[in-house]
Amino acid sequence: MAIRNIRQENDEILRKRSKEVEVVDDKIRELLEDMVETMHKYNGVGLAAVQVGILKRVIVIDLYDGKGPKKFINPVIKKKKGEHEVEEGCLSFPNQYAKLIRPEEVVVEALDENGKKIKVTAKDLYAQALCHEIEHLDGILFVDHMIPGTLEYVENNE
Ligand code: NI
């Protein structure tokens, strides 16, 4: 396992579309492990492969709820339900937070790390994280659709 470098806000790779994974192999599983390690190092709730410079449709999420990290390959949002205002940040935008509107619930289909089809119904923070990370795969960033005037810079005391 290895910590990978996180691409920062002005890196144009963040604007590119990531490609579908065709074969779920050891290389993908190693990428997933590295992404989990990198997300944990920076206390992130989620990370998309493009953020470590890999244009593949791969994301990881950890809600720190004791259930461990979750890994998704080729995730697709199938359903969205409800809307609410949330606060959001991104590991590619350190110390920056904004408010935006996200669905309250989503249904996502994907492959797991063994290439098996999975379907997840997610609410609240889990739904928010899935939407945020899946948008990364299409080059969309949270600041693109934040509620105007809500971007804040928060000092990090660590
Ligand atoms: Ni992000």
Side-chain angles (χ1 to χ4, degrees):
M1 299 220 295
I3 303 285
R4 302 211 186 186
N5 261 345
I6 297 185
R7 302 301 186 96
Q8 298 299 306
E9 54 182 306
N10 292 321
D11 193 319
E12 62 188 41
I13 198 170
L14 294 175
R15 291 302 183 180
K16 296 198 169 147
R17 184 184 182 278
S18 297
K19 292 207 174 83
E20 275 76 17
V21 173
E22 286 175 13
V23 184
V24 179
D25 55 13
D26 285 345
K27 211 176 156 195
I28 294 292
R29 284 184 281 273
E30 187 188 342
L31 170 64
L32 282 160
E33 282 303 308
D34 287 356
M35 286 169 63
V36 166
E37 202 181 351
T38 305
M39 169 178 70
H40 285 161
K41 173 162 168 83
Y42 297 103
N43 303 312
V45 169
L47 190 67
V50 58
Q51 291 179 277
V52 295
I54 308 284
L55 286 167
K56 289 186 188 309
R57 301 186 84 82
V58 171
I59 65 172
V60 296
I61 287 173
D62 198 334
L63 305 172
Y64 303 98
D65 57 359
K67 293 181 184 164
K70 304 167 199 300
K71 302 166 181 173
F72 300 88
I73 298 160
N74 300 340
V76 175
I77 297 174
K78 290 292 183 180
K79 269 189 214 164
K80 295 180 184 179
K81 205 165 104 185
E83 278 189 340
H84 60 166
E85 190 180 300
V86 294
E87 192 176 61
E88 197 160 307
C90 177
L91 291 179
S92 296
F93 291 74
N95 307 324
Q96 297 177 54
Y97 299 90
K99 290 185 172 144
L100 54 166
I101 305 295
R102 290 285 188 197
E104 286 176 323
E105 189 177 311
V106 292
V107 176
V108 169
E109 288 181 3
L111 298 177
D112 71 9
E113 62 192 314
N114 299 308
K116 203 178 115 201
K117 272 192 182 180
I118 52 170
K119 187 173 179 178
V120 169
T121 301
K123 289 182 181 170
D124 301 322
L125 180 63
Y126 190 9
Q128 181 185 353
L130 279 165
C131 291
H132 178 110
E133 301 312 329
I134 291 170
E135 284 181 352
H136 268 301
L137 305 181
D138 291 314
I140 299 167
L141 300 169
F142 78 111
V143 289
D144 296 347
H145 57 98
M146 63 186 174
I147 298 170
T150 62
L151 188 65
E152 282 190 291
Y153 292 79
V154 177
E155 282 294 318
N156 190 341
N157 295 320
E158 282 180 340

